[in-house]
Amino acid sequence: LGNVGFSLPVALYNIRNSYRDGTGKNRPFLEAIRPLVSTLVAMTLFFIWVFMSPNNILELDPRCMFYLTGTVFSNICCRLIIAQMSNTRSELLSGILVPTLVSVVLVMIPGVSATTELYIMYCLTAVVTVAHIHYGSCVVLEMCHHFRD
């Protein structure tokens, strides 16, 4: 709710102001909202999982779910920051959404037990955490090589 209620309106407001004031890069509107696609897809996937969970996953382990969603959104934001810093086009869909989509689909299979759903969430959390750490490490190494040369 915080992302939809606060972050998204502020992002759209800032996009509008940059066009009005001429302070942004003046990209076409579809190109300017491109970074929001991964965020909206991730938000939709997690809303579907939480609201349609057969075992009420948010009640089973809310801390893990909050950590999972926070890590996914952090990864998406870090990729966007790097794309902005390097003046490259941001990716439309983050690769971290693939295991998330697979997990949501697996959880929606009828008859999934609470233990299985928790196991899927814990596995996804581990995968997302390792992927996020790997991405950060690779970025730091690449920057070290760039500044050394």
Side-chain angles (χ1 to χ4, degrees):
L1 184 62
N3 196 14
V4 176
F6 296 110
S7 298
L8 190 59
V10 170
L12 293 174
Y13 176 76
N14 287 336
I15 290 170
R16 184 185 76 79
N17 283 347
S18 74
Y19 279 105
R20 184 190 67 204
D21 301 338
T23 56
K25 297 182 180 185
N26 290 326
R27 295 184 172 133
F29 182 72
L30 290 177
E31 194 65 29
I33 64 169
R34 184 180 175 89
L36 295 175
V37 173
S38 284
T39 305
L40 292 174
V41 170
M43 198 172 10
T44 303
L45 287 173
F46 284 118
F47 276 147
I48 289 170
W49 190 352
V50 169
F51 288 126
M52 298 182 71
S53 170
N55 302 297
N56 201 0
I57 191 70
L58 200 56
E59 290 292 323
L60 293 176
D61 196 347
R63 287 183 183 151
C64 186
M65 182 56 81
F66 289 140
Y67 174 79
L68 173 62
T69 57
T71 307
V72 168
F73 285 116
S74 294
N75 187 270
I76 292 169
C77 288
C78 286
R79 289 175 184 275
L80 175 60
I81 290 168
I82 297 301
Q84 289 292 318
M85 285 174 48
S86 61
N87 202 20
T88 57
R89 189 176 190 204
S90 65
E91 53 190 14
L92 185 63
L93 291 171
S94 176
I96 210 158
L97 295 174
V98 174
T100 306
L101 175 64
V102 170
S103 298
V104 171
V105 169
L106 287 175
V107 166
M108 295 302 148
I109 295 173
V112 172
S113 68
T115 306
T116 304
E117 189 170 2
L118 279 172
Y119 178 73
I120 290 170
M121 182 174 67
Y122 294 152
C123 287
L124 179 62
T125 302
V127 167
V128 164
T129 300
V130 169
H132 190 50
I133 291 170
H134 177 265
Y135 179 73
S137 302
C138 289
V139 166
V140 169
L141 286 173
E142 195 172 320
M143 288 174 66
C144 288
H145 290 300
H146 175 75
F147 289 126
R148 190 176 338 144
D149 296 334

